[in-house]
Amino acid sequence: MSVFSAWPYFVLVLVVLGAMALPVFRAADEPRHSSRDHRTATLDGLRGFLALSVFVHHLMVTHGYIEHGEWTFPPSGFHTLLGQAGVGVFFMITGFLFWGKLLDAKGRPDWRGLYAGRLWRIGPTYLLAVGLMFLAVAWRTGFELREPVWSLLGAVLQWLALGIWPLQPDINGYAGTTLILAGVTWTVFVEWLFYGALRPMAPLARGDRTPRFVLGLMLLLCLPLLCFAALSPGATPSRPTLALVIGALAWVLASFLMGMLSAWLVRRGGPKLPQRSASLLALACLGGVFLGFEHMVGPVQVLLLWVFFHLVCTGSTLFGLLATRAARRMSTASYSIYLLQGLVLTLVFGLRPVREFAMAGAMQYWLVGTACALLLVAASVVSYRLVEKPGIARGRRLRAGPRGMPAAQAAGP
């Protein structure tokens, strides 16, 4: 067995699902809102798997970081795709939900309520994660001031900008500060860019302009996706090449656009595949991505992943998996799972005896990784109840004002 074997991922997921089915995690149960079940019920069961897949991706990245001192893609295409496909579908969900809001409001939503809701949805848990990161930095720097006060204050303020500000520098001279959060906060900035772009795009949500807009941009994106589908061998997150940067930008934009197209198609109605056939086709498309490619930068990968996503949007439960209580509980805490994963990895692998045990062999590493996953979901359920849920409630109250749009569950990044 290799550390980078694929099958331990499925074992880890089954263990986490089994744990989430236990009564101790009923704190993650939420009432089902019948007004939105027909559009988002299956998405509500998908988010947890996406967040957990991104965690396993970073678990593999952590192995390379401990062994070689470099934060880079794992050598396994399977584990690289876990992270890239997971983030890509998160972006599709955002495109689907928020373009859907504009379609329902005919391009004239309550902008103030929408953005206030986003602040209260994203902000509290983000600040919790960043605050814990500050504590980790203070601990690792011996609680000593290692740079001028004004420099430290400037760096801290950039981190406290809720991800809206793109620069997130090292704190107190600690190199690799962002790695304490596994580098996931870049997606929060990208989400904010999309929310900001909604307003100038709003007129396109009137009438039937969506497919022409989306397909037109997708045709333009095909060129960079094709040209840069093969990443340069030396490309890493710490040493990005031009191919990696352009290809990644095209992939991110394509993910949002395909989610927007699904929002329009779902509202148009039309025939649906039987549940069994839809689940089979969805898993076949997902399998095509993981069996046929090493990364997500390419038009075929994006198309296959979108077909999978769209089938889930139209009600595919993947043979009932997305409708299970454990899946819904995990998805409820998915935003916290996503943001807190780096902190758990930093805490657990920062303990020298645990780190040495984990690095002694593949089985030991996956045992520690599974323990990290269980600790992560437990911490995330607590975070959801104490931090996320009050913030979501506050945002919903703001959206329910005189000019507010109907509240809908927001998507995590």
Side-chain angles (χ1 to χ4, degrees), residues 12-20 22 25 52 55 344 367-381:
L12 182 148
V13 170
L14 287 175
V15 170
V16 172
L17 282 176
M20 292 299 289
L22 297 175
F25 286 107
L52 196 59
F55 162 77
V344 169
L367 284 173
V368 173
T370 302
C372 287
L374 293 172
L375 176 61
L376 175 60
V377 295
S380 297
V381 169

Side-chain angles (χ1 to χ4, degrees), residues 36 49 87 118 147 150 161 183 236 252 318:
R36 61 181 176 85
F49 292 102
V87 169
R118 286 289 81 199
E147 62 181 16
W150 290 111
T236 71
V252 167
L318 306 184

